[in-house]
Amino acid sequence: MAKYIFITGGVVSSLGKGLTSASLGRLLISRGLSIRMLKVDPYLNVDPGTMSPYQHGEVYVTDDGAEADLDLGHYERFTGQPTSRKSNFTAGRIYWEVLKKERHGDYLGGTVQMIPHITDEIKARIRALDEKGVDIILVEIGGTVGDIEGLTFLEAIRQIGLEEGRDSVMYIHLTYVPFIKAAKEVKTKPSQQSVAKLREIGILPDALICRSEVELPDDVRKKLSLFCNVPLHAVIEEQDVQHTIYELPLVLSEQGLDELILVHFRMARPPAKMAPWRKMVDAIINPEKKVRIAVVGKYSELQDAYKSIFEAIQHGGIAHKAEVEVIKIAAEDVESGKGLHLLKEVSGILVPGGFGERGIEGKIEVIRYAREHGIPYFGICLGMQMAVVEFARNVCGLKGSHTTEVDKKAVHPVVCLMEEQEKVVDLGATMRLGAWPCVLKKSSKAAKAYSGAAQISERHRHRFEVNNAYRERFEEKGLILSGLSPDKNLVEVVELEGHPWFVGCQFHPELKSQPMVPHPLFKAFIGAALEYVPTSNGKAKSRRKAATKR
Ligand code: GLN
């Protein structure tokens, strides 16, 4: 039987509960434990698949095709373990299941209630992670203690504590300890109140992790311990990390958080093996070179919308001991003439995935610039589709080329819907999702990046595909279709003949990149960017080969 750790958050949102949970996961794995991680979200959307990036940030996709919370990305990057459909659920999903059962008559005439029906469904989904050989299940409860919508979740995890026994369950509360500048004091009251809220429900935290901008003085730690009813050694401090989020497992380990957990569960394990992790962190902190990359997306201000992209770019840098500076450019700014000059300063351009019309012509302009100037280009999903549109328009001379996502009546619908997508009515969970195999063309840039692999598997989230009717015309003009689905029906990777490094992929490689195992395509992209040398006349040239101008 697995043990459970429940991580709740107090005082304010955006405390980094996901990163803290992921770091804890890393620590426990480093102590030889087998773990599973779960994120539960108390909102009513059935999954985040239909939510705007303004609301929710990036939608993370698992191998088995779940559209999930972005915290699962942190879990995978920190633990190196894949997540799945079982790793995330929302209140919406729970209500949906309970109401379906009610309509089906499964409750045999009983009154269906929050307790026990909703709480039982929550508990069953948490316990579904208790597979053979799993030592610890880490459950992060989304939202903040005190939210009305979170109450049933807190009730469910309280009940699990009662049912499993307190030795088998641990509650960790992440809280905020603000520093009031005018008074020059750190304040414990919000944490006291948030713990009081938990105790009202019947949950007594076993450890407090305190987010703070300053070091916590001893008297403050004592106060937190006394008023929150947590032993002093279980008051853990989590200051903002200095260089990289990947320092966090080291910070928590130094304060003995992993040991605290093992003692609580009466488990004995050898000390954490953190040396490889520390080496990776050192590589980030002490880079040997630097490179600048532009990311041209719909939003330049939303860090979370491209979370995995930014992480994967950094991982590509780690692979070359290079620091990567990312210049975020909004595609709309390129359209209005504000953004294009910024590209003179970069050694690589990436256009990430996206949906809808906004900024689309700006993206196409940027891709043209990368193609004509021989600047390494990496197009992901929409970024690949737009590379195909740009190529069709400006190299093949097919005026009026577009994706039918933006122009339903495009003269040349070079990117369009496949037959099975034409029938789709609902927006939720109906895209081409999850891991799909892809066969790579021998000696292509993609195959080289994957160390010569003939077949790969990557995660998808899109509706539109390259239109097969144009394949021949593309190939004639020098667009290499270097990755295809095994039945050859879908174009998965394209690259440009004669360009130093211009690769577009229909899948999302960023989802599988980890700091300890940087993704091959990101590694190759950053490698190409490091080799790129701009010339003094503002035009650009690569050390490898001059760019072909068409
Ligand atoms: N909007 C495009 C599609 O649905 C691309 C999706 C994406 O970039 N994830 O095909």
Side-chain angles (χ1 to χ4, degrees):
M1 295 267 274
K3 315 278 185 199
Y4 293 88
I5 299 177
F6 295 108
I7 299 155
T8 53
V11 184
V12 287
S13 57
S14 303
L15 279 184
K17 222 175 334 131
L19 281 174
T20 304
S21 306
S23 301
L24 193 48
R26 169 80 260 158
L27 273 186
L28 296 177
I29 287 179
S30 302
R31 297 214 56 169
L33 292 158
S34 159
I35 66 156
R36 290 287 179 276
M37 298 200 65
L38 167 65
K39 169 81 191 284
V40 301
D41 284 303
Y43 54 73
L44 287 184
N45 302 65
V46 173
D47 63 40
T50 53
M51 289 164 87
S52 142
Y54 279 102
Q55 293 277 315
H56 195 272
E58 154 191 285
V59 175
Y60 193 75
V61 182
T62 59
D63 276 332
D64 58 358
E67 294 180 286
D69 186 75
L70 57 75
D71 278 334
L72 268 58
H74 293 313
Y75 299 171
E76 290 204 7
R77 288 187 282 270
F78 278 74
T79 67
Q81 279 187 185
T83 52
S84 74
R85 255 175 211 292
K86 283 184 168 179
S87 318
N88 182 208
F89 65 83
T90 66
R93 167 80 59 194
I94 296 289
Y95 291 130
W96 181 268
E97 294 302 331
V98 168
L99 292 176
K100 267 198 303 198
K101 284 185 195 165
E102 187 274 336
R103 290 291 82 187
H104 194 243
D106 293 358
Y107 296 112
L108 305 173
T111 308
V112 182
Q113 295 181 296
M114 289 290 187
I115 306 168
H117 300 99
I118 295 292
T119 43
D120 280 354
E121 189 72 32
I122 294 172
K123 287 193 292 180
R125 280 184 176 253
I126 293 175
R127 289 196 164 110
L129 289 163
D130 187 1
E131 292 156 359
K132 208 168 158 232
V134 174
D135 297 309
I136 297 182
I137 297 166
L138 268 166
V139 185
E140 177 192 346
I141 310 292
T144 308
V145 168
D147 295 345
I148 291 175
E149 59 184 14
L151 280 175
T152 42
F153 288 90
L154 296 178
E155 171 61 16
I157 66 170
R158 180 196 67 76
Q159 290 180 12
I160 291 182
L162 180 74
E163 290 159 0
E164 302 290 324
R166 285 296 277 113
D167 290 353
S168 298
V169 172
M170 193 169 177
Y171 300 101
I172 299 182
H173 190 56
L174 182 70
T175 180
Y176 181 52
V177 185
F179 175 70
I180 308 294
K181 267 203 196 118
K184 292 199 178 56
E185 266 185 61
V186 275
K187 291 293 182 188
T188 64
K189 190 79 78 195
S191 299
Q192 293 177 40
Q193 285 175 347
S194 153
V195 169
K197 268 261 162 261
L198 272 178
R199 282 155 66 180
E200 220 171 81
I201 298 160
I203 294 175
L204 308 179
D206 300 296
L208 275 190
I209 300 181
C210 307
R211 291 282 286 117
S212 156
E213 283 157 50
V214 297
E215 208 180 309
L216 297 184
D218 276 351
D219 60 321
V220 171
R221 291 165 57 98
K222 280 186 192 142
K223 208 165 162 185
L224 282 163
S225 158
L226 192 64
F227 293 161
C228 299
N229 199 39
V230 168
L232 188 57
H233 66 275
V235 178
I236 308 280
E237 190 175 317
E238 192 186 307
Q239 273 190 62
D240 298 346
V241 284
Q242 277 187 343
H243 307 279
T244 158
I245 51 170
Y246 298 117
E247 284 172 68
L248 195 50
L250 301 172
V251 170
L252 296 177
S253 171
E254 272 158 25
Q255 294 182 70
L257 182 60
D258 46 332
E259 193 54 34
L260 187 83
I261 292 168
L262 290 183
V263 169
H264 180 95
F265 291 139
R266 298 193 170 87
M267 288 170 157
R269 287 290 189 283
K273 291 195 182 84
M274 295 301 284
W277 191 268
R278 199 176 293 274
K279 206 171 145 205
M280 176 271 292
V281 170
D282 282 346
I284 300 177
I285 299 176
N286 306 303
E288 290 167 6
K289 42 205 150 172
K290 193 171 170 177
V291 66
R292 206 179 285 137
I293 300 289
V295 172
V296 187
K298 194 177 197 171
Y299 322 95
S300 62
E301 77 284 17
L302 291 186
Q303 176 74 11
D304 277 0
Y306 306 115
K307 190 108 217 159
S308 295
I309 294 273
F310 295 141
E311 290 304 314
I313 289 176
Q314 301 305 335
H315 304 161
I318 297 174
H320 297 278
K321 295 210 165 84
E323 179 188 343
V324 188
E325 185 191 345
V326 174
I327 310 286
K328 296 169 194 158
I329 302 174
E332 272 180 325
D333 284 348
V334 175
E335 287 170 8
S336 63
K338 272 194 281 173
L340 209 58
H341 71 279
L342 293 170
L343 299 181
K344 293 207 173 87
E345 325 260 295
V346 303
S347 305
I349 299 174
L350 187 151
V351 174
F355 295 82
E357 190 173 2
R358 203 168 115 195
I360 213 91
E361 290 302 325
K363 289 178 191 174
I364 295 172
E365 212 175 316
V366 161
I367 296 168
R368 178 178 196 159
Y369 187 90
R371 179 177 58 76
E372 292 185 341
H373 290 75
I375 305 177
Y377 173 74
F378 194 7
I380 293 177
C381 208
L382 188 68
M384 176 252 208
Q385 295 172 353
M386 289 312 106
V388 169
V389 170
E390 193 280 323
F391 189 84
R393 286 185 189 176
N394 302 324
V395 181
C396 303
L398 299 171
K399 263 205 181 128
S401 289
H402 221 323
T403 166
T404 54
E405 178 178 3
V406 175
D407 181 1
K408 278 201 176 57
K409 297 199 178 84
V411 186
H412 293 289
V414 291
V415 175
C416 62
L417 282 182
M418 289 277 141
E419 215 180 293
E420 55 277 16
Q421 279 289 338
E422 303 260 15
K423 301 173 231 144
V424 168
V425 186
D426 283 347
L427 287 187
T430 52
M431 281 188 249
R432 182 176 173 223
L433 289 167
W436 292 75
C438 164
V439 177
L440 297 177
K441 197 175 218 149
K442 256 197 192 148
S443 325
S444 61
K445 294 232 166 59
K448 268 189 211 138
Y450 284 94
S451 314
Q455 185 163 324
I456 53 161
S457 168
E458 293 284 357
R459 299 181 195 167
H460 292 245
R461 181 172 185 256
H462 59 106
R463 286 185 207 287
F464 295 82
E465 309 276 355
V466 173
N467 186 340
N468 288 334
Y470 289 88
R471 276 201 200 178
E472 255 174 52
R473 275 176 272 185
F474 291 157
E475 285 183 304
E476 264 167 29
K477 291 284 184 184
L479 188 74
I480 305 166
L481 310 181
S482 57
L484 297 177
S485 56
D487 65 2
K488 299 193 168 49
N489 207 27
L490 301 169
V491 177
E492 308 283 37
V493 189
V494 300
E495 47 195 80
L496 266 189
E497 216 175 275
H499 188 287
W501 206 90
F502 188 108
V503 175
C505 54
Q506 188 57 85
F507 45 78
H508 289 272
E510 72 275 17
L511 300 175
K512 282 181 42 171
S513 188
Q514 296 166 13
M516 302 289 285
V517 195
H519 191 283
L521 286 175
F522 279 91
K523 182 177 166 187
F525 171 54
I526 299 298
L530 282 163
E531 284 192 23
Y532 168 79
V533 201
T535 55
S536 50
N537 61 7
K539 291 275 170 189
K541 206 168 80 188
S542 162
R543 254 185 227 155
R544 282 189 193 158
K545 226 185 230 179
T548 346
K549 253 189 146 188
R550 288 170 194 273

